[in-house]
């Protein structure tokens, strides 16, 4: 079975080791359990396990994603810190906008992402000097300028993107070659998986990110703010 080119893997491992050597224990991996993040869990568990792992439980994830979190905990033998939104912020937001407020306006959707994702992310990163993400340049236009290592001006941290050069096929070749667990929704045409109410399947030829917040006007950036520099 083929795998991602070995020099591609070696470059990613080298970057993870650098991040670990320079910043551990104040370096963490933000894992959302997408296909790229599964590759990174494998590389971190084998080569750089002083990088801590956390995930954001927005409270609105797919059942398949929750099942995968526990499968990964068993498979990779890594502690995974699960961050939750502030309960009173969620209660206030839902009281004012309803449980599905994100369908009403772009501002409401951004508010929900801020409460359910950005708040917990800021808390997870509060003790960190650097973080690791699974973003790839090919995933979206908004990610085209990203580098393997860069300054994250939003959070004031060094940011490492070890898979930035990887193609989608290389990610899947790696997962299959190493028989890694992954989200079964990927087999149902969900290339990018976020919260259940805000993610849908795409059809052949569609932009992989077009399944996220699909109801929003053309021109709105299909990002939740986690990987946008201010
Ligand atoms: S993706 Fe949707 S449900 Fe999840 S935090 Fe953002 S708006 Fe809320």
């Amino acid at each position: 079975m083929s795998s991602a080119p070995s020099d591609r893997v070696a470059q990613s491992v080298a970057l993870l080791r650098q991040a670990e050597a320079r910043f551990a224990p104040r370096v963490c991996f933000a894992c959302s359990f997408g296909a790229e993040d599964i590759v990174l869990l494998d590389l971190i568990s084998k080569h750089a396990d002083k990088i801590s792992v956390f995930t954001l439980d927005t409270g609105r994830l797919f059942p398949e994603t929750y099942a995968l979190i526990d499968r990964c905990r068993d498979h990779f033998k890594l502690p995974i810190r699960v961050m939750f939104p502030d309960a009173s912020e969620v209660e206030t937001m839902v009281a004012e906008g309803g449980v599905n407020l994100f369908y009403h306006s772009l501002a409401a959707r951004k508010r929900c992402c801020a409460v359910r994702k950005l708040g917990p992310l800021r808390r997870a990163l509060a003790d960190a000097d650097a973080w690791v993400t699974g973003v790839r340049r090919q995933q979206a236009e908004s990610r085209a300028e990203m580098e393997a290592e860069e300054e994250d001006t939003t959070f004031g941290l060094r940011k490492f993107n070890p898979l930035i050069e990887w193609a989608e096929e290389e990610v899947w070749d790696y997962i299959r070659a190493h028989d890694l667990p992954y989200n079964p929704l990927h087999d149902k045409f969900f290339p990018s998986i976020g919260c259940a109410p805000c993610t849908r399947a795409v059809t052949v030829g569609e932009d992989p990110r077009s399944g996220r917040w699909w109801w929003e006007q053309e021109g709105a950036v299909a990002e939740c703010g986690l990987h946008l520099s201010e």
Side-chain angles (χ1 to χ4, degrees):
M1 188 178 290
S2 67
S3 182
S6 57
D7 58 337
R8 188 80 86 212
V9 175
Q11 280 169 8
S12 301
V13 169
L15 192 68
L16 286 169
R17 284 189 168 143
Q18 240 191 68
E20 182 186 54
R22 285 164 55 197
F23 292 103
R26 296 173 64 87
V27 53
C28 49
F29 166 41
C31 180
S32 63
F33 297 94
E36 292 77 10
D37 291 353
I38 297 298
V39 173
L40 280 178
L41 281 174
D42 194 56
L43 295 180
I44 287 171
S45 70
K46 288 174 176 163
H47 305 286
D49 66 0
K50 290 190 188 67
I51 296 176
S52 59
V53 180
F54 73 90
T55 191
L56 306 177
D57 181 354
T58 62
R60 302 299 298 260
L61 302 177
F62 285 97
E64 290 88 343
T65 306
Y66 287 112
L68 182 62
I69 294 173
D70 279 348
R71 279 177 70 204
C72 286
R73 206 190 287 270
D74 291 344
H75 183 94
F76 296 107
K77 310 277 186 254
L78 285 171
I80 297 170
R81 184 181 181 202
V82 181
M83 305 297 299
F84 295 95
D86 180 274
S88 62
E89 282 183 37
V90 174
E91 286 172 7
T92 303
M93 175 177 76
V94 167
E96 290 173 4
V99 286
N100 289 331
L101 74 162
F102 31 79
Y103 293 137
H104 300 159
S105 69
L106 183 59
R109 193 273 279 179
K110 287 190 170 174
R111 180 183 183 186
C112 187
C113 283
V115 167
R116 292 185 185 274
K117 292 182 179 176
L118 288 173
L121 178 67
R122 282 186 198 283
R123 275 194 292 117
L125 296 179
D127 296 329
D129 294 327
W131 66 313
V132 175
T133 84
V135 298
R136 289 185 301 104
R137 207 170 273 141
Q138 286 180 0
Q139 280 168 325
E141 239 174 77
S142 55
R143 298 180 177 183
E145 304 294 317
M146 288 183 167
E147 299 293 338
E149 180 182 346
E150 59 190 4
E151 191 62 26
D152 186 330
T153 52
T154 306
F155 298 105
L157 303 171
R158 289 309 279 176
K159 184 174 183 181
F160 293 88
N161 306 310
L163 304 187
I164 195 75
E165 308 280 0
W166 286 47
E168 188 186 359
E169 312 81 75
E170 292 171 342
V171 170
W172 282 104
D173 284 349
Y174 186 96
I175 288 174
R176 291 190 193 101
H178 295 83
D179 198 20
L180 302 180
Y182 64 88
N183 198 320
L185 289 172
H186 288 306
D187 294 333
K188 297 178 179 170
F189 305 102
F190 286 78
S192 170
I193 302 169
C195 294
C198 300
T199 307
R200 69 173 182 180
V202 302
T203 56
V204 178
E206 269 191 306
D207 178 338
R209 298 282 300 172
S210 64
R212 307 287 293 274
W213 307 293
W214 65 92
W215 63 89
E216 290 179 352
Q217 297 297 313
E218 219 174 288
V221 179
E223 295 275 6
C224 53
L226 269 59
H227 301 299
L228 290 175
S229 288
E230 287 170 346

